[in-house]
Amino acid sequence: MEAGARLAFVMPLVVVLLLMIFSLGVRGVDVVVDGGGGGAAAARRRRVEVGVILDRRTWLGNISWACMELAVEDFYADEERASYTTALRLHLRDTRLDAVDAASAGVDLLKNVHVQAIVGPQTSAQAKFLAELGEKSSVPVVSFSANSPCRTASQTPYFIRTAWNDSSQAEAIASLVQRFNWRDVIPVIEDDDSNTRFIPDLVDALRNAEIRVTHRCKIHPSAGADDIKKVVLSLKEKWTSVFVVRMSYQLALSFFKHAKDEGMMGQGFVWIAAYGLTDIFDVVGSPAFDVMQGVIGMKPYVNDTKQLQNFRQRWRKMYKSENPGTTLSEPTISGLYAYDTVWALALAAEKAGYVNSDFLLSEKNNGSTDFDRINTSNAAKKLQSTLLNIDFQGMSGKFQFQDMHLLSMTYEIINIVGEEQRVVGFWTPEFNISRGLNTKADVNEIIWPGGETTVPRGWLFPMNKTLKIGVPAKPGFSGFIKKEKDNFTGLCIKVFEEVLNGLPYKIPHDYVEFGNGKGESNGTYDELIYKVYQKDFDAAVGDITILANRSLYVDFTLPYTESGVRMLVPVQDQRQKTAWTFLQPLTADLWLGTAAFFVLTGFVVWFIEHRTNEDFRGPPVNQIGSVFYFAFSTLVFAHRQKIVNNLSRVLLVIWLFVVLILQQSYTASLSSILTVEQLQPTVTNLDEVIRKGANVGYLNDSFMPELLKRLKIDESKLIALDSPDEYNEALSTGRVAVVVDEIPYLKVFLSKYCHNYTMVGPTYKFDGFGFAFPLGSPLTAEISRGILNFTSSNRMAQLERELYNNRTCPDKDDSQTSSSLTLRSFLGLFIITGASSLLALFLHVVITLYNHRHYLSSASSSQSSWCGWFAILLKIFHEGDRPNAPQLDEPAVSNANTTADTPWSRPDHHIIENVDSGSDVESVREEDREDFVQGPDPPSFAYMHSERGQ
């Protein structure tokens, strides 16, 4: 259906034009090249008629025809083909490049010559008509230079292209651009049918490699010098400096001459010549080299075999004899394709076998022109199907069809330096861009336009351009953006200027306030972003938060401030003074633990001291009082008892150290509780605000309303504020319960009102402040790299200190309140003093028992009850040595189980006599008994439990 529609559209035009041509008797020159040669074998060969349509006044037509003549000669001159029964006979129609002339020649070849194939429409415009003609007659139309008139081969089944597919060249160019990390490319093409398929293929390949095509430049084939200059100047104003060029030789010469005159063949520019243009250096020579220095070109790779070298010599000799004064030294690749095309047709004709030409005018179709009466040719059909299966090694390389094109293999990358085409690398489907055919090594050094060897970055700041930068009006927070007369200052402006100064090139720029002329904003920040999107501004600089919805319209740099949104709330003192505040420094377990160790320490000191120290003796009640008095008096270091035992002294030193630490800690904690403000936020989260139905403040013209709505806050509860002073007024009067804003703004506020407010609640993550540029702007990446370098420097920290007035305001959370001291905090000290007490007690017991070992030894023979042993031990550890007490003698008691003196008989000395079993007991003197009766001291606890006491 599509072919029929095209045919219905094209054919009437063709008919009219053909009638005009035939009426004028216009017809191309008929040149016949017979491949039969001489001799008997040649005479027996059947002729296969092949039409050739070329314009020999063009470089391409002249070169190609010379190659085709040599191809016919070489093919049938080979002795291996002496037995061939067919021979091609070429009928040249030397027409102009006009499509109507080509169509006229095609009809003539079909009608009068009965050709079975047509070779050589040079242009895509000619191919359009001849492809329709070939489809109507089933005659293959073979072209080695023109592109297919349709994007898919199925639409033109009889149009065969004996050249590589442009889609493979597009992939090679995209790989080259990707290899050097260029992100934007501008195709510059001739606006004719030759690029119908190439441009879509190129754009698709670049996009698959994530390379942007921001602009396409088309030049009409008949463009004059002024038109071309306008095109060059328009390209000069673009940011992108990577161009892919494909156009005819004469148009390319004029274009590159103007580009050179405008300084676009200098440093920083990249020019990639697609195949179709790279033959210009072989055809035109020095004029092309002069204006295209540093250009990179793509050419199909042709292996330089001996056969090719011999062919060049014969072609050069023949061509120069026919074209004296030519500068051409060798055929172009298109000429090699023409050579191989003739060989392929000759092989196909022999393989298909001779079939009488059955091309006749239809007797059934009574059209008014010969075109209407054209019928199909079975012989041509067979030739076409055979041709598509031909496979051989041709002069240009492997000759094999794929999708109605020659199979694409390898492209070589050339670099124009001087008058030399330097091969710097190759593109292959296997290794992509590489130095050699069988290696992955990088390409050789490239000399770029301007003679530089450093790879251009792929974009340039447009010449004679000044960036127009939009700056938001910020009356409230002037630390970020501030306008002083005609100058802008503030953190955002300073950071941007510092980053620009760090770039290796200068960027002229002007700041334009996005305001109403009265210091007020001319809209929201979203509207400012949209102005950048509409190209009203080249960039936007200010306290602009990076948001997802904004990034749909502009490209943001990396952030240069910290990110996040928090709540600002008032704080109040939570201190409560009571009569029992003095107990708060210590927890209950610490109070109890401390008291227990006081008692323990006092008891151990009393136990050690009371035998030898009069200060610790006396009635039981007095001794108990001494224990507690001594222990608790150490709290204020007011103990008066004299310590005489070394163990007690060591223990006391350790205990006083513990008491000192406890005392100082208690004092510090109590002072903190009584004097330090325990400021607590009045609100801790937004849920509490929502429950109370309180108002929420936010910064005017910001994105906060949308965020707060997503957090389920009623829109009627939102109040817009403009400055830190308004924040303070609204919070202090209760007009709003909290202010929700970005952290940089809140820090500026707290640098002025730190005492009464704090930031609380979770941090809602955002990307911070960034600079906005149009989508695809190369400055985005450059400025982002500059921000990374700058934000890590001391200069950024200095700017932030200036913004916050060299003040930092810590969050007023629970970490600032005084908490009670716990037992765990002093557990180590208690372990030390407890262990010391037990150790001193143990040593005292051991030493005392050791000193009384003789007494215990004598008592062991007469004492058997545990009560008796308890009394003996109690006697030993309770009675002390008192040098000033009177000596008392105990009366003699005859008892086999008691051999020791009474406890009070020797108050000054522990003199214990050992009495053996069965011996007489020494009598106690009577005067001593009287002393006992009249003595002032009561009987000891040990004596009352002895048998004598009983």
Side-chain angles (χ1 to χ4, degrees), residues 200-215:
D201 289 338
L202 176 63
V203 172
D204 290 344
L206 291 171
R207 286 177 177 172
N208 290 337
E210 297 183 353
I211 299 166
R212 293 185 294 266
V213 180
T214 56
H215 181 72

Side-chain angles (χ1 to χ4, degrees), residues 873-938:
L873 292 175
L874 196 61
K875 171 181 175 298
I876 293 173
F877 286 104
H878 181 69
E879 290 300 329
D881 299 330
R882 290 171 294 175
N884 297 326
Q887 295 183 359
L888 301 177
D889 293 331
E890 289 184 359
V893 178
S894 178
N895 193 328
N897 295 328
T898 304
T899 59
D901 293 339
T902 59
W904 59 85
S905 61
R906 299 279 189 260
D908 296 329
H909 302 283
H910 289 283
I911 301 174
I912 303 174
E913 297 181 1
N914 297 325
V915 181
D916 295 336
S917 178
S919 62
D920 295 336
V921 179
E922 182 182 1
S923 299
V924 181
R925 291 182 302 173
E926 188 65 23
E927 55 272 20
D928 288 340
R929 187 181 303 273
E930 293 176 357
D931 290 340
F932 161 67
V933 174
Q934 299 176 359
D937 293 332

Side-chain angles (χ1 to χ4, degrees), residues 287-584:
F289 283 112
D290 182 57
V291 297
M292 297 178 70
Q293 288 295 302
V295 170
I296 303 173
M298 286 286 182
K299 295 178 67 174
Y301 169 70
V302 178
N303 190 15
D304 191 17
T305 61
K306 290 184 178 180
Q307 180 185 6
L308 178 58
Q309 293 172 4
N310 294 333
F311 170 73
R312 286 189 185 126
Q313 292 178 359
R314 292 187 294 111
W315 181 91
R316 190 181 304 115
K317 182 178 179 182
M318 173 182 140
Y319 189 79
K320 286 188 176 181
S321 65
E322 295 180 357
N323 301 277
T326 182
T327 58
L328 278 176
S329 59
E330 60 181 49
T332 63
I333 294 178
S334 294
L336 300 182
Y337 286 152
Y339 183 95
D340 290 343
T341 300
V342 172
W343 273 54
L345 283 170
L347 289 171
E350 182 66 24
K351 191 173 182 180
Y354 176 74
V355 179
N356 287 327
S357 178
D358 55 357
F359 176 77
L360 297 173
L361 294 180
S362 175
E363 299 296 336
K364 297 180 181 179
N365 298 332
N366 297 319
S368 59
T369 66
D370 290 338
F371 186 85
D372 293 331
R373 299 175 61 192
I374 291 176
N375 206 343
T376 59
S377 171
N378 293 327
K381 270 186 180 180
K382 188 174 183 181
L383 181 64
Q384 186 253 9
S385 61
T386 306
L387 177 62
L388 292 177
N389 294 318
I390 291 298
D391 184 359
F392 69 99
Q393 193 67 29
M395 199 65 69
S396 62
K398 186 175 181 61
F399 193 98
Q400 181 181 355
F401 285 103
Q402 183 183 59
D403 194 23
M404 307 298 283
H405 293 76
L406 285 186
L407 181 64
S408 305
M409 299 297 292
T410 303
Y411 282 92
E412 64 181 6
I413 305 169
I414 62 172
N415 182 208
I416 305 305
V417 180
E419 293 199 357
E420 179 186 0
Q421 302 178 56
R422 295 174 56 242
V423 178
V424 295
F426 299 88
W427 177 87
T428 60
E430 181 180 2
F431 296 108
N432 213 325
I433 301 294
S434 60
R435 179 179 299 179
L437 294 174
N438 300 311
T439 179
K440 291 184 178 180
D442 199 4
V443 296
N444 293 312
E445 184 180 65
I446 297 175
I447 306 300
W448 304 97
E452 293 293 322
T453 57
T454 303
V455 178
R457 63 175 177 265
W459 68 274
L460 290 173
F461 190 80
M463 299 181 182
N464 303 321
K465 180 178 178 61
T466 300
L467 285 185
K468 181 181 177 183
I469 300 176
V471 180
K474 200 72 176 178
F477 289 85
S478 59
F480 294 98
I481 295 290
K482 184 178 181 181
K483 184 178 182 181
E484 298 176 347
K485 296 183 180 179
D486 293 330
N487 297 322
F488 289 88
T489 185
L491 175 71
C492 303
I493 299 297
K494 291 178 181 178
V495 171
F496 187 72
E497 290 290 342
E498 293 282 355
V499 171
L500 290 186
N501 293 336
L503 297 178
Y505 46 87
K506 298 298 181 182
I507 298 181
H509 59 281
D510 290 330
Y511 295 111
V512 179
E513 185 180 42
F514 183 63
N516 57 7
K518 300 178 182 179
E520 298 175 351
S521 177
N522 201 27
T524 65
Y525 279 54
D526 290 339
E527 292 172 343
L528 172 60
I529 292 298
Y530 198 71
K531 288 289 185 181
V532 178
Y533 173 74
Q534 292 179 316
K535 304 297 178 66
D536 293 337
F537 293 121
D538 297 313
V541 172
D543 49 344
I544 305 170
T545 305
I546 302 172
L547 300 176
N549 62 333
R550 292 175 179 174
S551 64
L552 298 175
Y553 300 94
V554 296
D555 284 341
F556 282 103
T557 64
L558 292 175
Y560 57 90
T561 62
E562 61 180 314
S563 62
V565 172
R566 295 191 70 185
M567 289 193 307
L568 179 71
V569 299
V571 294
Q572 59 185 10
D573 193 356
Q574 299 291 333
R575 294 179 299 176
Q576 295 182 355
K577 306 300 187 298
T578 66
W580 303 100
T581 301
F582 72 94
L583 294 176
Q584 292 181 11

Side-chain angles (χ1 to χ4, degrees), residues 594-645:
T594 303
F597 274 91
F598 270 108
V599 174
L600 174 63
T601 304
F603 171 76
V604 173
V605 171
W606 169 83
F607 188 83
I608 296 173
E609 291 289 328
H610 84 282
R611 297 183 64 255
T612 57
N613 191 337
E614 287 294 336
D615 290 341
F616 291 90
R617 296 194 64 83
V621 175
N622 291 342
Q623 294 191 39
I624 293 174
S626 297
V627 169
F628 285 97
Y629 173 76
F630 173 80
F632 286 99
S633 64
T634 58
L635 180 63
V636 291
F637 309 104
H639 52 285
R640 295 177 299 174
Q641 292 88 339
K642 181 180 180 182
I643 305 300
V644 297
N645 194 293

Side-chain angles (χ1 to χ4, degrees), residues 79-99:
E79 294 182 359
E80 294 182 359
R81 303 183 184 89
S83 60
Y84 275 26
T85 61
T86 60
L88 296 184
R89 181 153 50 199
L90 305 183
H91 298 265
L92 173 65
R93 293 294 184 266
D94 189 1
T95 66
R96 293 176 297 176
L97 294 179
D98 186 76

Side-chain angles (χ1 to χ4, degrees), residues 762-839:
T763 300
Y764 300 97
K765 289 296 183 180
F766 288 91
D767 285 339
F769 297 161
F771 305 125
F773 291 90
L775 291 172
S777 173
L779 274 179
T780 306
E782 294 290 314
I783 299 297
S784 294
R785 280 189 286 269
I787 288 174
L788 285 177
N789 294 328
F790 179 70
T791 53
S792 60
S793 65
N794 292 331
R795 176 59 179 158
M796 184 64 188
Q798 179 183 350
L799 291 179
E800 289 181 341
R801 287 195 297 269
E802 293 176 2
L803 176 67
Y804 303 137
N805 298 321
N806 293 317
R807 294 184 62 184
T808 57
C809 187
D811 290 348
K812 300 173 180 63
D813 51 21
D814 292 341
S815 62
Q816 293 184 336
T817 61
S818 299
S819 59
S820 300
L821 303 173
T822 63
L823 179 63
R824 185 178 182 83
S825 304
F826 301 93
L827 188 59
L829 290 174
F830 285 136
I831 290 175
I832 293 173
T833 187
S836 301
S837 299
L838 295 177
L839 180 61

